[in-house]
Amino acid sequence: LGTTGQLPASRSGVSVALECLCSREQLLGDMLCFLHHQHDDKLPSSYLLRTLCTRSRLDVEKIACWVQRLVTSAWLLLPQSYHCQLTVLPSSQSCRFQLTSTSKINICTEMIFAVQQS
């Protein structure tokens, strides 16, 4: 957020760079190096990069879509889902949700994605 508490007018991109984990891969063997195995479709990192990034930049629309699907799937597993209905509201730059209780009380919430620059 800017100094006025508003979103910045221009869309800046966050560059994503993969880090070499070969030494960890060789020492611990608990994961493959994301950098040198990035074309291996079995790696979660490959999936996340394709899902959240466009080329080497985070894509806010892809992130919003991914979070919307994730929240919707997780909601169905919660006991509250029997008493409230979750609706994803249209938005491509954030995640907007509406909860409607059986007594027709509505609660709206919005998640806005931001990165703090230092």
Side-chain angles (χ1 to χ4, degrees), residues 45-88:
S45 62
S46 299
Y47 166 77
L48 279 176
L49 286 173
R50 285 193 312 271
T51 303
L52 304 179
C53 298
T54 298
R55 292 181 217 79
S56 63
R57 296 211 173 273
L58 286 176
D59 186 320
V60 71
E61 290 179 21
K62 286 184 174 184
I63 292 169
C65 184
W66 180 70
V67 171
Q68 289 167 358
R69 286 193 313 263
L70 190 66
V71 169
T72 301
S73 298
W75 177 255
L76 297 175
L77 302 174
L78 296 174
Q80 292 84 345
S81 66
Y82 295 109
H83 308 289
C84 292
Q85 176 184 348
L86 176 75
T87 304
V88 177

Side-chain angles (χ1 to χ4, degrees), residues 61 63-69 71-72 85-100 106-113:
E61 290 179 21
I63 292 169
C65 184
W66 180 70
V67 171
Q68 289 167 358
R69 286 193 313 263
V71 169
T72 301
Q85 176 184 348
L86 176 75
T87 304
V88 177
L89 302 173
S91 178
S92 62
Q93 300 292 313
S94 64
C95 290
R96 296 176 59 224
F97 303 100
Q98 177 177 309
L99 285 175
T100 305
N106 290 325
I107 299 172
C108 293
T109 185
E110 181 175 21
M111 286 190 276
I112 298 173
F113 305 105

Side-chain angles (χ1 to χ4, degrees), residues 4-16:
T4 62
Q6 300 297 318
L7 292 175
S10 65
R11 292 176 61 184
S12 57
V14 176
S15 183
V16 175

